[in-house]
Amino acid sequence: EIEKENFVPKIFEVFDLMPNGQLRFAIYDETENLIDTSPTNYGEAGKPAKCLWCHEINIQSLFKTSPALEYYIDETQFHELIAKQMKIINTYRSTLNSSIDFTKTQEHTQMELLYISYTEPSLQKLSQEWNIPLDKLKKLTKNNKLHTYTEFPFLGELLNRWDVKNISPYKTNETPLSIREFINKEPYYLNTHY
């Protein structure tokens, strides 16, 4: 624990700014080997692609209060550091001749909503997509658990597409269990040998 001064880092989650102004992410283990994902027993970071959900265009600030510790910067200093670094990044991005408009910060959220609506559709969406009457679809999915997406509750009650693939009238590719978490059905882009 950091507070007890016996903290030994095992995983290193890093990012840098590419010449095109976008951030890229990587995770290394304690032996400096590139790895596919942070083990869940070390935290909720998951796979590098998950980093993009929150850090697509910004260096993310703190999600929760962090206690002040000797030899470490405090929250105020951290926020000031992030603001300073984002000013440098935004100044650099403003010089680029790119099709990416980094000032349109809501486009990421719009894409996220499209993705979630596909991987976790409502009964109404599936009814329209599959051309199955809603009443019939409700009967077909009566044993499937509905849930509310905590970050976007306005999406209503949703199914996991993974759970209803066996009743789909279309042959589809496997979808992830979660849009943000590592699963063993995804390709290992970092360690794939061709």
Side-chain angles (χ1 to χ4, degrees):
E1 295 176 31
I2 292 175
E3 294 91 340
K4 294 180 181 177
E5 297 183 12
N6 64 357
F7 178 74
V8 179
K10 298 285 186 188
I11 300 297
F12 300 86
E13 298 161 356
V14 299
F15 72 92
D16 71 344
L17 185 70
M18 296 188 293
N20 68 358
Q22 292 181 291
L23 300 174
R24 66 178 161 193
F25 304 88
I27 303 173
Y28 295 88
D29 65 16
E30 68 269 23
T31 61
E32 300 180 12
N33 288 312
L34 193 62
I35 58 175
D36 295 306
T37 184
S38 286
T40 55
N41 58 318
Y42 292 136
E44 298 178 10
K47 59 189 175 182
K50 178 184 176 185
C51 303
L52 289 172
W53 290 108
C54 295
H55 300 280
E56 184 187 34
I57 59 172
N58 292 307
I59 302 173
Q60 195 68 25
S61 194
L62 298 172
F63 285 110
K64 56 185 177 181
T65 302
S66 183
L69 299 169
E70 190 175 6
Y71 309 117
Y72 293 88
I73 63 174
D74 62 26
E75 280 190 47
T76 303
Q77 293 167 315
F78 182 76
H79 287 292
E80 289 170 355
L81 178 63
I82 297 298
K84 180 180 174 185
Q85 297 301 319
M86 281 308 305
K87 185 174 181 181
I88 293 168
I89 290 171
N90 289 332
T91 300
Y92 170 72
R93 286 174 173 166
S94 71
T95 67
L96 300 175
N97 182 14
S98 171
S99 60
I100 302 169
D101 185 346
F102 291 102
T103 64
K104 294 183 177 177
T105 57
Q106 289 304 308
E107 287 185 355
H108 172 80
T109 303
Q110 294 300 319
M111 189 63 206
E112 188 173 16
L113 288 168
L114 286 172
Y115 192 97
I116 293 166
S117 296
Y118 179 77
T119 59
E120 301 179 41
S122 67
L123 284 166
Q124 293 81 6
K125 181 183 186 322
L126 278 184
S127 172
Q128 292 172 346
E129 180 184 324
W130 292 352
N131 198 26
I132 295 175
L134 187 56
D135 290 344
K136 182 179 178 184
L137 187 61
K138 284 180 181 179
K139 288 176 186 172
L140 290 170
T141 59
K142 68 180 179 211
N143 294 326
N144 295 94
K145 186 178 177 185
L146 294 170
H147 67 277
T148 302
Y149 200 92
T150 54
E151 196 174 342
F152 303 111
F154 61 83
L155 293 174
E157 292 189 314
L158 308 172
L159 291 161
N160 284 313
R161 187 173 289 269
W162 182 279
D163 295 337
V164 294
K165 67 180 181 178
N166 60 326
I167 62 170
S168 172
Y170 306 103
K171 183 177 180 343
T172 60
N173 293 329
E174 300 264 348
T175 56
L177 295 169
S178 165
I179 63 169
R180 296 181 177 157
E181 302 304 330
F182 176 80
I183 63 165
N184 61 3
K185 294 283 186 190
E186 294 177 294
Y188 293 100
Y189 293 113
L190 299 175
N191 294 319
T192 301
H193 300 284
Y194 296 98

